[in-house]
Amino acid sequence: MLKLMDILDGTAIPVNYRMAFITNFYREPLLRRMERDTGMIRPELTVLMCLSHRSGLNARDICEITEQPSNTVSRAVGALVEKGYVTRTRDAVDTRRNVLAITEAGKAVHDRVMATFADAERVMLETLEPEEVEVLTRLLDKLARDVERWAPGLPAKAQGG
């Protein structure tokens, strides 16, 4: 671990490197555990997360929200439909469009996985004072809400150009 820690001080991108470093040590073990415990893979959890927050999405919407390739999202949707975690129905207005919805079983597995992630986040943040957590959350929120301006992969129009 010491060699990894040395990199934190020697990078030209100190903020992003730290965010990626923390994310890797937080997310990766939890995702492997989720895959083992639920039989779901990462893209499937991503779809469930999207559908648990907003109903009436289609696969294209999820691609736009998550920046995931359409074939990845399509396979995840198919697997979730097969597992009974998601339903897929024709849109009454645009019959070319399939509307997705999370089922009660999908919501239950989503909530179980997210509770595990929330517990891990709580433990991770125990090193900070409550005021520090508030400041960190506020700063990350500010960066997240400005993504359309700074994200290198977004079209110029979205970046204000």
Side-chain angles (χ1 to χ4, degrees):
M1 182 78 113
L2 188 55
K3 288 182 182 182
L4 291 174
M5 298 303 289
D6 291 344
I7 296 171
L8 289 176
D9 295 326
T11 179
I13 52 169
V15 172
N16 279 294
Y17 192 87
R18 282 168 172 77
M19 287 192 298
F21 180 85
I22 292 165
T23 298
N24 286 339
F25 280 92
Y26 166 80
R27 181 187 62 201
E28 296 308 315
L30 290 170
L31 287 171
R32 285 192 300 273
R33 179 176 164 190
M34 176 209 61
E35 289 171 353
R36 185 183 62 248
D37 293 350
T38 67
M40 283 193 320
I41 59 173
R42 297 166 197 220
E44 293 171 31
L45 176 61
T46 301
V47 170
L48 286 184
M49 289 172 71
C50 290
L51 294 175
S52 73
H53 293 288
R54 181 178 290 168
S55 60
L57 297 175
N58 65 21
R60 180 179 291 163
D61 297 329
I62 294 171
C63 291
E64 289 177 17
I65 292 166
T66 65
E67 289 287 314
Q68 294 289 312
S70 60
N71 61 339
T72 300
V73 170
S74 180
R75 279 194 304 271
V77 167
L80 291 168
V81 168
E82 194 171 299
K83 292 174 183 177
Y85 295 158
V86 167
T87 60
R88 180 173 33 203
T89 57
R90 287 273 179 223
D91 187 321
V93 177
D94 181 355
T95 57
R96 297 169 298 171
R97 183 176 186 258
N98 284 314
V99 177
L100 305 172
I102 192 168
T103 65
E104 287 300 317
K107 181 88 170 102
V109 75
H110 166 271
D111 291 352
R112 210 169 53 245
V113 169
M114 294 311 293
T116 302
F117 276 73
D119 287 344
E121 180 177 284
R122 182 187 48 73
V123 171
M124 177 181 68
L125 294 174
E126 285 174 351
T127 194
L128 300 176
E129 297 297 325
E131 300 80 23
E132 292 173 316
V133 173
E134 284 182 37
V135 169
L136 176 62
T137 302
R138 197 169 55 249
L139 292 172
L140 292 171
D141 186 64
K142 190 173 184 177
L143 289 171
R145 291 179 188 278
D146 192 39
V147 72
E148 288 186 358
R149 183 189 62 78
W150 61 259
L154 289 178
K157 180 181 174 190
Q159 292 182 7

